[in-house]
Amino acid sequence: MSLLQFERVSYQYDSEDYNIIDELSFSVKPGAFHAIIGVSKRKKSTIFRLINGLLTPKVGEIQVGGRTIAGQKNYCGYMPQKDMLFPWRTVGENLALPLEIKGGFSKAERREMVRSALADVGLFGCEEKRPEELSGGMRQRAAFARTMLTGSELLLLDEPFSALDFLTRISMQEWLLMQHQKHKKTILFITHDVEEAIFLSDSVLAVTSTPSRTLSEIKVPAEHPRTRECLTRPEMVMLREKLIDMLRKQVMS
Ligand SMILES: Nc1ncnc2c1ncn2[C@@H]1O[C@H](COP(=O)(O)OP(=O)(O)OP(=O)(O)O)[C@@H](O)[C@H]1O
Ligand SMILES: [Mg+2]
């Protein structure tokens, strides 16, 4: 069974006179890790906002776990393109936010869950710091920990590592793969970096030119657990070049 299902979903922004998404259908299996690639302005973030209920389809239906999401908002672990940590809250208070929204936890329980989530991402002891005191990589980890604390089975990560320097970025990628092995969540990960897409994902979903009724799925020929060494294999090099070529043609189209 699918965890997520788009059934002929169309969406139009009020300021536009056409459907930016037109009868789009695709499905995602539980526990899958998909990278989503596509050139700029090809509605990747719009798809995430639809999944998380921040936008409502004009027609069609989005189902999660076999049930329509109609009317539900912010039920996914959603990490938007910017890390969105609130500067006036400490790191610990930022992480406690999804628990406060969900309700049902005492202050002591929230503190314990936040501490454990921070330890999980290598930020033990940072709860009293302000976001501005953290490095870029640490902020990304804190934002990811907050995303995990939503408790959602479905994580939507919109270019989470795009602002990081190369070395921090590759260590975050390795770290994310470990998190996926450990927590077995379903992850959709938008990226412009083709190498990042194939290193992380089971298969790449390409958002191609409009109008398109589905996402093209391209399987990644590498097993888990992975190390960066797999990127040098001929089949991975070929896939990387094929995807770059596909994106280039789209930029020109
Ligand atoms: N609130 C909005 N109102 C009107 N148009 C919008 C709105 N948000 C996005 N768009 C338009 O929808 C299109 C797709 O935007 P979206 O942010 O989904 O693209 P994207 O694939 O995530 O791009 P990028 O890779 O640059 O992040 C763009 O042309 C954008 O200008
Ligand atoms: Mg985007």
Side-chain angles (χ1 to χ4, degrees):
M1 194 177 84
S2 310
L3 179 80
L4 170 70
Q5 179 87 39
F6 264 51
E7 282 286 354
R8 299 169 76 101
V9 170
S10 297
Y11 182 76
Q12 180 180 358
Y13 282 113
D14 287 342
S15 54
E16 305 288 353
D17 57 0
Y18 65 97
N19 285 345
I20 171 130
I21 290 176
D22 200 23
E23 297 198 16
L24 177 67
S25 301
F26 70 95
S27 66
V28 172
K29 292 204 169 71
F33 192 144
H34 292 299
I36 299 182
I37 62 166
V39 295
S40 198
K41 298 190 177 175
R42 284 289 158 81
K43 68 219 170 192
K44 303 179 294 298
S45 299
T46 304
I47 292 172
F48 273 14
R49 291 194 284 268
L50 282 163
I51 298 173
N52 204 20
L54 301 171
L55 302 175
T56 309
K58 191 164 114 183
V59 277
E61 191 175 62
I62 301 171
Q63 294 187 350
V64 168
R67 277 194 251 146
T68 177
I69 62 151
Q72 284 187 76
K73 242 188 203 179
N74 286 320
Y75 64 92
C76 301
Y78 176 41
M79 193 168 159
Q81 251 170 296
K82 288 190 181 156
D83 72 32
M84 306 288 272
L85 292 172
F86 296 116
W88 59 88
R89 284 188 158 222
T90 63
V91 171
E93 287 164 351
N94 264 288
L95 264 69
L97 204 59
L99 304 174
E100 286 168 25
I101 292 169
K102 208 191 269 177
F105 303 103
S106 71
K107 204 168 173 192
E109 282 170 334
R110 288 202 299 264
R111 191 178 308 137
E112 196 39 51
M113 288 164 84
V114 165
R115 278 199 183 144
S116 147
L118 280 172
D120 233 14
V121 299
L123 291 178
F124 181 75
C126 287
E127 59 261 44
E128 296 305 327
K129 289 191 194 300
R130 299 267 160 192
E132 77 225 21
E133 295 175 72
L134 305 185
S135 72
M138 291 163 87
R139 285 176 67 103
Q140 297 281 358
R141 282 175 196 236
F144 184 82
R146 186 174 63 179
T147 308
M148 293 295 284
L149 280 169
T150 57
S152 172
E153 279 312 301
L154 179 57
L155 302 183
L156 308 176
L157 309 178
D158 196 345
E159 301 189 39
F161 305 151
S162 58
L164 304 180
D165 67 86
F166 181 70
L167 286 178
T168 310
R169 187 175 180 137
I170 60 176
S171 71
M172 287 296 291
Q173 290 167 359
E174 285 161 352
W175 171 83
L176 180 59
L177 273 184
M178 269 168 21
Q179 297 293 313
H180 184 238
Q181 297 273 301
K182 190 167 155 194
H183 297 286
K184 306 278 182 229
K185 303 269 185 189
T186 308
I187 301 182
L188 299 183
F189 184 108
I190 297 176
T191 180
H192 283 280
D193 180 338
V194 167
E195 201 163 85
E196 177 169 78
I198 64 174
F199 177 53
L200 292 175
S201 69
D202 307 324
S203 63
V204 174
L205 300 178
V207 183
T208 47
S209 50
T210 21
S212 157
R213 301 271 142 91
T214 190
L215 305 178
S216 320
E217 181 165 355
I218 303 120
K219 224 177 144 18
V220 176
E223 65 296 337
H224 290 284
R226 287 181 193 169
T227 63
R228 289 187 60 77
E229 178 274 327
C230 77
L231 290 170
T232 60
R233 291 187 207 155
E235 62 274 24
M236 293 290 267
V237 174
M238 266 168 61
L239 176 59
R240 187 188 69 198
E241 292 310 307
K242 181 178 146 185
L243 293 173
I244 292 173
D245 198 43
M246 187 188 80
L247 292 175
R248 268 200 180 147
K249 283 185 181 134
Q250 280 184 34
V251 176
M252 289 186 281
S253 69

Short mmCIF file of all heavy atoms in Angstrom, two decimals, residues 161-219:
data_model
loop_
_atom_site.label_atom_id
_atom_site.label_comp_id
_atom_site.label_asym_id
_atom_site.label_seq_id
_atom_site.Cartn_x
_atom_site.Cartn_y
_atom_site.Cartn_z
N PHE A 161 20.04 21.12 2.74
CA PHE A 161 21.49 21.31 2.89
C PHE A 161 22.06 22.32 1.91
O PHE A 161 23.28 22.45 1.76
CB PHE A 161 22.23 19.97 2.70
CG PHE A 161 21.74 18.87 3.60
CD1 PHE A 161 21.82 17.53 3.21
CD2 PHE A 161 21.23 19.16 4.86
CE1 PHE A 161 21.39 16.52 4.05
CE2 PHE A 161 20.77 18.15 5.70
CZ PHE A 161 20.86 16.83 5.29
N SER A 162 21.18 23.05 1.21
CA SER A 162 21.68 23.87 0.09
C SER A 162 22.59 25.01 0.55
O SER A 162 23.43 25.46 -0.21
CB SER A 162 20.50 24.43 -0.71
OG SER A 162 19.68 25.18 0.15
N ALA A 163 22.43 25.44 1.82
CA ALA A 163 23.24 26.59 2.26
C ALA A 163 24.56 26.17 2.90
O ALA A 163 25.31 27.01 3.36
CB ALA A 163 22.43 27.41 3.25
N LEU A 164 24.84 24.90 2.89
CA LEU A 164 26.02 24.43 3.63
C LEU A 164 27.27 24.33 2.75
O LEU A 164 27.17 24.09 1.56
CB LEU A 164 25.74 23.05 4.24
CG LEU A 164 24.52 22.96 5.15
CD1 LEU A 164 24.35 21.55 5.69
CD2 LEU A 164 24.63 23.95 6.30
N ASP A 165 28.43 24.49 3.39
CA ASP A 165 29.67 24.29 2.64
C ASP A 165 29.83 22.80 2.32
O ASP A 165 29.18 21.95 2.95
CB ASP A 165 30.87 24.80 3.45
CG ASP A 165 31.11 23.96 4.67
OD1 ASP A 165 31.80 22.94 4.58
OD2 ASP A 165 30.55 24.30 5.74
N PHE A 166 30.69 22.50 1.36
CA PHE A 166 30.76 21.15 0.81
C PHE A 166 31.00 20.07 1.87
O PHE A 166 30.29 19.06 1.92
CB PHE A 166 31.84 21.09 -0.28
CG PHE A 166 31.95 19.73 -0.91
CD1 PHE A 166 30.93 19.27 -1.74
CD2 PHE A 166 33.03 18.91 -0.66
CE1 PHE A 166 31.00 18.01 -2.32
CE2 PHE A 166 33.11 17.65 -1.23
CZ PHE A 166 32.10 17.20 -2.06
N LEU A 167 31.98 20.29 2.75
CA LEU A 167 32.32 19.24 3.71
C LEU A 167 31.20 19.02 4.74
O LEU A 167 30.87 17.88 5.07
CB LEU A 167 33.64 19.55 4.42
CG LEU A 167 34.88 19.34 3.55
CD1 LEU A 167 36.14 19.72 4.32
CD2 LEU A 167 34.98 17.90 3.05
N THR A 168 30.61 20.13 5.20
CA THR A 168 29.49 20.00 6.15
C THR A 168 28.35 19.27 5.45
O THR A 168 27.69 18.41 6.03
CB THR A 168 28.99 21.39 6.61
OG1 THR A 168 30.12 22.14 7.03
CG2 THR A 168 28.00 21.27 7.75
N ARG A 169 28.17 19.62 4.20
CA ARG A 169 27.07 19.04 3.44
C ARG A 169 27.22 17.52 3.30
O ARG A 169 26.27 16.77 3.53
CB ARG A 169 27.08 19.69 2.06
CG ARG A 169 25.93 19.35 1.21
CD ARG A 169 26.03 20.18 -0.05
NE ARG A 169 24.93 19.88 -0.91
CZ ARG A 169 24.23 20.78 -1.57
NH1 ARG A 169 24.54 22.04 -1.49
NH2 ARG A 169 23.24 20.42 -2.33
N ILE A 170 28.42 17.06 2.95
CA ILE A 170 28.55 15.61 2.78
C ILE A 170 28.46 14.89 4.13
O ILE A 170 27.93 13.79 4.20
CB ILE A 170 29.79 15.17 1.95
CG1 ILE A 170 31.10 15.60 2.58
CG2 ILE A 170 29.70 15.62 0.52
CD1 ILE A 170 32.32 15.07 1.82
N SER A 171 28.90 15.53 5.20
CA SER A 171 28.74 14.82 6.48
C SER A 171 27.28 14.81 6.90
O SER A 171 26.80 13.84 7.48
CB SER A 171 29.67 15.36 7.56
OG SER A 171 29.25 16.62 7.96
N MET A 172 26.51 15.87 6.55
CA MET A 172 25.06 15.87 6.84
C MET A 172 24.33 14.81 6.01
O MET A 172 23.39 14.19 6.47
CB MET A 172 24.47 17.25 6.53
CG MET A 172 24.83 18.33 7.53
SD MET A 172 24.19 18.02 9.18
CE MET A 172 22.45 18.25 8.94
N GLN A 173 24.80 14.62 4.78
CA GLN A 173 24.17 13.58 3.94
C GLN A 173 24.36 12.20 4.57
O GLN A 173 23.43 11.39 4.65
CB GLN A 173 24.78 13.59 2.53
CG GLN A 173 24.41 14.82 1.72
CD GLN A 173 25.26 14.97 0.47
OE1 GLN A 173 26.16 14.16 0.21
NE2 GLN A 173 25.02 16.00 -0.29
N GLU A 174 25.61 11.94 5.01
CA GLU A 174 25.89 10.63 5.63
C GLU A 174 25.06 10.46 6.89
O GLU A 174 24.50 9.39 7.16
CB GLU A 174 27.39 10.51 5.94
CG GLU A 174 28.20 10.27 4.67
CD GLU A 174 29.68 10.61 4.82
OE1 GLU A 174 30.07 11.16 5.87
OE2 GLU A 174 30.43 10.33 3.86
N TRP A 175 24.97 11.55 7.64
CA TRP A 175 24.21 11.54 8.88
C TRP A 175 22.72 11.28 8.61
O TRP A 175 22.07 10.49 9.29
CB TRP A 175 24.44 12.88 9.58
CG TRP A 175 23.59 13.11 10.74
CD1 TRP A 175 23.79 12.67 12.02
CD2 TRP A 175 22.36 13.84 10.76
NE1 TRP A 175 22.77 13.08 12.82
CE2 TRP A 175 21.88 13.81 12.07
CE3 TRP A 175 21.64 14.53 9.79
CZ2 TRP A 175 20.71 14.41 12.44
CZ3 TRP A 175 20.46 15.14 10.16
CH2 TRP A 175 20.00 15.08 11.48
N LEU A 176 22.19 11.90 7.55
CA LEU A 176 20.77 11.71 7.22
C LEU A 176 20.49 10.26 6.80
O LEU A 176 19.46 9.69 7.18
CB LEU A 176 20.35 12.68 6.11
CG LEU A 176 18.90 12.59 5.66
CD1 LEU A 176 17.93 12.85 6.82
CD2 LEU A 176 18.60 13.59 4.54
N LEU A 177 21.41 9.68 6.06
CA LEU A 177 21.23 8.27 5.67
C LEU A 177 21.16 7.38 6.91
O LEU A 177 20.36 6.46 6.99
CB LEU A 177 22.38 7.81 4.77
CG LEU A 177 22.22 8.08 3.28
CD1 LEU A 177 23.39 7.48 2.51
CD2 LEU A 177 20.90 7.51 2.75
N MET A 178 22.02 7.69 7.89
CA MET A 178 22.00 6.91 9.14
C MET A 178 20.66 7.09 9.86
O MET A 178 20.09 6.14 10.38
CB MET A 178 23.13 7.36 10.07
CG MET A 178 24.39 6.55 9.86
SD MET A 178 25.85 7.23 10.65
CE MET A 178 25.30 8.28 11.92
N GLN A 179 20.16 8.34 9.89
CA GLN A 179 18.87 8.60 10.52
C GLN A 179 17.75 7.81 9.83
O GLN A 179 16.85 7.30 10.47
CB GLN A 179 18.52 10.11 10.44
CG GLN A 179 19.47 11.01 11.17
CD GLN A 179 19.41 10.81 12.68
OE1 GLN A 179 18.35 10.77 13.28
NE2 GLN A 179 20.57 10.66 13.29
N HIS A 180 17.86 7.74 8.50
CA HIS A 180 16.82 7.02 7.75
C HIS A 180 16.85 5.53 8.07
O HIS A 180 15.82 4.89 8.26
CB HIS A 180 16.99 7.25 6.25
CG HIS A 180 15.91 6.62 5.44
ND1 HIS A 180 16.15 5.69 4.46
CD2 HIS A 180 14.56 6.76 5.48
CE1 HIS A 180 15.00 5.30 3.93
NE2 HIS A 180 14.03 5.93 4.52
N GLN A 181 18.07 4.98 8.16
CA GLN A 181 18.20 3.57 8.51
C GLN A 181 17.63 3.30 9.91
O GLN A 181 17.00 2.29 10.15
CB GLN A 181 19.69 3.17 8.52
CG GLN A 181 20.37 3.30 7.17
CD GLN A 181 20.20 2.05 6.34
OE1 GLN A 181 20.61 0.98 6.75
NE2 GLN A 181 19.58 2.18 5.19
N LYS A 182 17.86 4.27 10.80
CA LYS A 182 17.46 4.09 12.20
C LYS A 182 15.95 4.27 12.39
O LYS A 182 15.30 3.47 13.04
CB LYS A 182 18.21 5.14 13.03
CG LYS A 182 18.11 4.98 14.51
CD LYS A 182 19.16 5.88 15.17
CE LYS A 182 18.75 6.24 16.57
NZ LYS A 182 19.54 7.34 17.11
N HIS A 183 15.39 5.33 11.79
CA HIS A 183 13.99 5.66 12.08
C HIS A 183 13.00 5.14 11.04
O HIS A 183 11.79 5.14 11.29
CB HIS A 183 13.82 7.18 12.21
CG HIS A 183 14.60 7.77 13.35
ND1 HIS A 183 14.23 7.61 14.65
CD2 HIS A 183 15.75 8.49 13.37
CE1 HIS A 183 15.10 8.23 15.44
NE2 HIS A 183 16.04 8.76 14.68
N LYS A 184 13.52 4.75 9.87
CA LYS A 184 12.66 4.19 8.81
C LYS A 184 11.46 5.08 8.45
O LYS A 184 10.37 4.58 8.18
CB LYS A 184 12.13 2.79 9.21
CG LYS A 184 13.21 1.81 9.59
CD LYS A 184 13.84 1.19 8.37
CE LYS A 184 14.89 0.18 8.73
NZ LYS A 184 16.15 0.30 8.06
N LYS A 185 11.66 6.39 8.51
CA LYS A 185 10.59 7.30 8.10
C LYS A 185 10.55 7.35 6.57
O LYS A 185 11.52 6.98 5.90
CB LYS A 185 10.88 8.71 8.61
CG LYS A 185 11.07 8.78 10.10
CD LYS A 185 9.79 9.06 10.79
CE LYS A 185 10.01 9.26 12.28
NZ LYS A 185 8.77 9.33 13.02
N THR A 186 9.45 7.87 6.05
CA THR A 186 9.36 8.08 4.60
C THR A 186 9.86 9.50 4.33
O THR A 186 9.38 10.45 4.95
CB THR A 186 7.89 7.95 4.15
OG1 THR A 186 7.40 6.70 4.65
CG2 THR A 186 7.76 8.01 2.65
N ILE A 187 10.83 9.61 3.43
CA ILE A 187 11.45 10.93 3.22
C ILE A 187 11.32 11.38 1.77
O ILE A 187 11.65 10.63 0.84
CB ILE A 187 12.94 10.91 3.63
CG1 ILE A 187 13.08 10.53 5.11
CG2 ILE A 187 13.60 12.27 3.36
CD1 ILE A 187 14.52 10.53 5.63
N LEU A 188 10.84 12.60 1.59
CA LEU A 188 10.91 13.26 0.28
C LEU A 188 11.88 14.43 0.44
O LEU A 188 11.73 15.23 1.37
CB LEU A 188 9.53 13.77 -0.14
CG LEU A 188 8.43 12.72 -0.31
CD1 LEU A 188 7.15 13.36 -0.80
CD2 LEU A 188 8.86 11.65 -1.31
N PHE A 189 12.86 14.50 -0.44
CA PHE A 189 13.99 15.41 -0.26
C PHE A 189 14.21 16.18 -1.55
O PHE A 189 14.67 15.61 -2.55
CB PHE A 189 15.21 14.53 0.09
CG PHE A 189 16.48 15.26 0.41
CD1 PHE A 189 16.95 15.30 1.72
CD2 PHE A 189 17.24 15.87 -0.58
CE1 PHE A 189 18.15 15.95 2.04
CE2 PHE A 189 18.44 16.51 -0.28
CZ PHE A 189 18.89 16.54 1.04
N ILE A 190 13.88 17.47 -1.55
CA ILE A 190 14.10 18.27 -2.77
C ILE A 190 15.55 18.73 -2.81
O ILE A 190 16.08 19.20 -1.79
CB ILE A 190 13.18 19.51 -2.78
CG1 ILE A 190 11.71 19.09 -2.82
CG2 ILE A 190 13.52 20.41 -3.98
CD1 ILE A 190 10.73 20.26 -2.75
N THR A 191 16.17 18.58 -3.95
CA THR A 191 17.55 19.08 -4.09
C THR A 191 17.82 19.47 -5.54
O THR A 191 17.20 18.94 -6.47
CB THR A 191 18.59 18.04 -3.62
OG1 THR A 191 19.89 18.58 -3.80
CG2 THR A 191 18.48 16.73 -4.39
N HIS A 192 18.75 20.42 -5.71
CA HIS A 192 19.22 20.77 -7.06
C HIS A 192 20.52 20.04 -7.37
O HIS A 192 21.07 20.18 -8.46
CB HIS A 192 19.46 22.28 -7.17
CG HIS A 192 18.19 23.05 -7.32
ND1 HIS A 192 17.53 23.18 -8.51
CD2 HIS A 192 17.45 23.72 -6.42
CE1 HIS A 192 16.44 23.90 -8.33
NE2 HIS A 192 16.36 24.23 -7.06
N ASP A 193 21.02 19.32 -6.39
CA ASP A 193 22.33 18.67 -6.52
C ASP A 193 22.12 17.19 -6.89
O ASP A 193 21.68 16.39 -6.08
CB ASP A 193 23.05 18.81 -5.18
CG ASP A 193 24.43 18.19 -5.18
OD1 ASP A 193 24.69 17.30 -6.02
OD2 ASP A 193 25.24 18.57 -4.32
N VAL A 194 22.42 16.88 -8.14
CA VAL A 194 22.15 15.54 -8.66
C VAL A 194 22.94 14.47 -7.90
O VAL A 194 22.44 13.38 -7.60
CB VAL A 194 22.45 15.50 -10.17
CG1 VAL A 194 22.49 14.08 -10.69
CG2 VAL A 194 21.43 16.31 -10.93
N GLU A 195 24.18 14.80 -7.55
CA GLU A 195 25.00 13.82 -6.82
C GLU A 195 24.39 13.54 -5.44
O GLU A 195 24.33 12.40 -4.99
CB GLU A 195 26.43 14.35 -6.68
CG GLU A 195 27.41 13.23 -6.43
CD GLU A 195 28.83 13.68 -6.68
OE1 GLU A 195 29.44 14.26 -5.77
OE2 GLU A 195 29.30 13.44 -7.80
N GLU A 196 23.92 14.60 -4.79
CA GLU A 196 23.25 14.44 -3.49
C GLU A 196 22.01 13.56 -3.66
O GLU A 196 21.74 12.67 -2.84
CB GLU A 196 22.85 15.82 -2.97
CG GLU A 196 22.09 15.82 -1.67
CD GLU A 196 21.96 17.23 -1.09
OE1 GLU A 196 21.11 18.00 -1.56
OE2 GLU A 196 22.71 17.54 -0.17
N ALA A 197 21.25 13.80 -4.73
CA ALA A 197 20.02 13.04 -4.98
C ALA A 197 20.31 11.55 -5.10
O ALA A 197 19.64 10.72 -4.48
CB ALA A 197 19.34 13.56 -6.25
N ILE A 198 21.35 11.19 -5.87
CA ILE A 198 21.57 9.76 -6.09
C ILE A 198 22.30 9.12 -4.91
O ILE A 198 22.16 7.94 -4.66
CB ILE A 198 22.26 9.44 -7.44
CG1 ILE A 198 23.66 10.02 -7.52
CG2 ILE A 198 21.42 9.90 -8.60
CD1 ILE A 198 24.40 9.60 -8.79
N PHE A 199 23.07 9.90 -4.17
CA PHE A 199 23.73 9.33 -2.99
C PHE A 199 22.68 8.96 -1.93
O PHE A 199 22.77 7.91 -1.28
CB PHE A 199 24.74 10.31 -2.41
CG PHE A 199 25.41 9.82 -1.16
CD1 PHE A 199 26.03 8.57 -1.14
CD2 PHE A 199 25.39 10.57 0.00
CE1 PHE A 199 26.64 8.09 0.02
CE2 PHE A 199 26.01 10.10 1.16
CZ PHE A 199 26.63 8.86 1.17
N LEU A 200 21.67 9.82 -1.77
CA LEU A 200 20.72 9.62 -0.67
C LEU A 200 19.57 8.68 -0.98
O LEU A 200 19.12 7.94 -0.11
CB LEU A 200 20.13 10.97 -0.25
CG LEU A 200 21.07 11.97 0.41
CD1 LEU A 200 20.35 13.29 0.64
CD2 LEU A 200 21.58 11.42 1.74
N SER A 201 19.06 8.72 -2.21
CA SER A 201 17.71 8.18 -2.39
C SER A 201 17.67 6.78 -2.96
O SER A 201 18.63 6.29 -3.56
CB SER A 201 16.91 9.13 -3.30
OG SER A 201 17.42 9.09 -4.60
N ASP A 202 16.51 6.13 -2.76
CA ASP A 202 16.25 4.83 -3.39
C ASP A 202 15.90 5.06 -4.85
O ASP A 202 16.25 4.28 -5.71
CB ASP A 202 15.05 4.14 -2.73
CG ASP A 202 15.20 4.03 -1.24
OD1 ASP A 202 16.33 3.83 -0.79
OD2 ASP A 202 14.18 4.18 -0.53
N SER A 203 15.13 6.12 -5.07
CA SER A 203 14.87 6.50 -6.46
C SER A 203 14.60 8.00 -6.53
O SER A 203 14.15 8.60 -5.56
CB SER A 203 13.72 5.69 -7.07
OG SER A 203 12.55 5.93 -6.39
N VAL A 204 14.93 8.52 -7.69
CA VAL A 204 14.80 9.96 -7.92
C VAL A 204 13.46 10.20 -8.61
O VAL A 204 13.09 9.47 -9.54
CB VAL A 204 15.96 10.45 -8.82
CG1 VAL A 204 15.78 11.90 -9.21
CG2 VAL A 204 17.30 10.22 -8.14
N LEU A 205 12.72 11.21 -8.13
CA LEU A 205 11.49 11.62 -8.81
C LEU A 205 11.78 12.93 -9.51
O LEU A 205 12.15 13.92 -8.87
CB LEU A 205 10.35 11.81 -7.80
CG LEU A 205 9.96 10.59 -6.96
CD1 LEU A 205 8.85 10.96 -5.97
CD2 LEU A 205 9.49 9.44 -7.84
N ALA A 206 11.65 12.91 -10.82
CA ALA A 206 11.97 14.12 -11.58
C ALA A 206 10.69 14.86 -11.93
O ALA A 206 9.75 14.28 -12.48
CB ALA A 206 12.74 13.76 -12.83
N VAL A 207 10.65 16.14 -11.55
CA VAL A 207 9.52 16.99 -11.93
C VAL A 207 9.88 17.57 -13.29
O VAL A 207 10.79 18.38 -13.41
CB VAL A 207 9.33 18.14 -10.91
CG1 VAL A 207 8.11 18.97 -11.27
CG2 VAL A 207 9.21 17.60 -9.50
N THR A 208 9.18 17.11 -14.31
CA THR A 208 9.56 17.53 -15.66
C THR A 208 8.68 18.69 -16.13
O THR A 208 7.92 19.23 -15.36
CB THR A 208 9.47 16.34 -16.63
OG1 THR A 208 8.23 15.69 -16.41
CG2 THR A 208 10.60 15.36 -16.40
N SER A 209 8.81 19.01 -17.39
CA SER A 209 8.16 20.23 -17.88
C SER A 209 6.64 20.17 -17.77
O SER A 209 6.04 19.11 -17.84
CB SER A 209 8.56 20.45 -19.34
OG SER A 209 8.34 19.25 -20.03
N THR A 210 6.04 21.34 -17.59
CA THR A 210 4.59 21.43 -17.52
C THR A 210 4.03 21.31 -18.93
O THR A 210 4.65 21.83 -19.85
CB THR A 210 4.14 22.80 -16.96
OG1 THR A 210 5.23 23.70 -17.12
CG2 THR A 210 3.67 22.73 -15.55
N PRO A 211 2.87 20.76 -19.17
CA PRO A 211 2.10 20.00 -18.21
C PRO A 211 2.61 18.57 -18.11
O PRO A 211 3.00 17.99 -19.12
CB PRO A 211 0.70 20.03 -18.80
CG PRO A 211 0.92 20.11 -20.29
CD PRO A 211 2.24 20.79 -20.50
N SER A 212 2.61 18.04 -16.90
CA SER A 212 3.05 16.67 -16.72
C SER A 212 2.11 16.00 -15.74
O SER A 212 1.81 16.56 -14.69
CB SER A 212 4.48 16.69 -16.21
OG SER A 212 4.76 15.50 -15.56
N ARG A 213 1.67 14.81 -16.07
CA ARG A 213 0.64 14.16 -15.26
C ARG A 213 1.23 13.26 -14.19
O ARG A 213 0.53 12.70 -13.39
CB ARG A 213 -0.28 13.33 -16.17
CG ARG A 213 -0.98 14.15 -17.23
CD ARG A 213 -2.31 14.68 -16.70
NE ARG A 213 -2.58 16.03 -17.17
CZ ARG A 213 -3.23 16.34 -18.29
NH1 ARG A 213 -3.70 15.39 -19.05
NH2 ARG A 213 -3.44 17.60 -18.63
N THR A 214 2.55 13.06 -14.25
CA THR A 214 3.19 12.26 -13.21
C THR A 214 4.63 12.71 -13.03
O THR A 214 5.10 13.61 -13.71
CB THR A 214 3.08 10.75 -13.55
OG1 THR A 214 3.50 10.01 -12.41
CG2 THR A 214 3.95 10.37 -14.74
N LEU A 215 5.30 12.09 -12.05
CA LEU A 215 6.72 12.38 -11.86
C LEU A 215 7.48 11.20 -12.44
O LEU A 215 7.07 10.06 -12.25
CB LEU A 215 7.03 12.51 -10.36
CG LEU A 215 6.19 13.52 -9.57
CD1 LEU A 215 6.57 13.50 -8.10
CD2 LEU A 215 6.38 14.94 -10.13
N SER A 216 8.58 11.45 -13.15
CA SER A 216 9.35 10.32 -13.69
C SER A 216 10.17 9.73 -12.56
O SER A 216 10.89 10.46 -11.88
CB SER A 216 10.32 10.76 -14.78
OG SER A 216 9.75 11.70 -15.59
N GLU A 217 10.07 8.42 -12.39
CA GLU A 217 10.81 7.77 -11.31
C GLU A 217 12.02 7.03 -11.89
O GLU A 217 11.89 6.23 -12.81
CB GLU A 217 9.89 6.79 -10.57
CG GLU A 217 10.63 6.11 -9.43
CD GLU A 217 9.71 5.41 -8.44
OE1 GLU A 217 8.47 5.53 -8.56
OE2 GLU A 217 10.25 4.74 -7.55
N ILE A 218 13.20 7.33 -11.34
CA ILE A 218 14.42 6.69 -11.83
C ILE A 218 15.09 6.01 -10.64
O ILE A 218 15.50 6.66 -9.68
CB ILE A 218 15.38 7.74 -12.44
CG1 ILE A 218 14.67 8.50 -13.56
CG2 ILE A 218 16.65 7.08 -12.98
CD1 ILE A 218 14.57 9.96 -13.35
N LYS A 219 15.18 4.69 -10.71
CA LYS A 219 15.74 3.92 -9.59
C LYS A 219 17.25 4.13 -9.47
O LYS A 219 17.94 4.23 -10.47
CB LYS A 219 15.44 2.43 -9.83
CG LYS A 219 14.98 1.79 -8.56
CD LYS A 219 14.60 0.37 -8.68
CE LYS A 219 14.99 -0.40 -7.44
NZ LYS A 219 15.29 0.34 -6.24
#
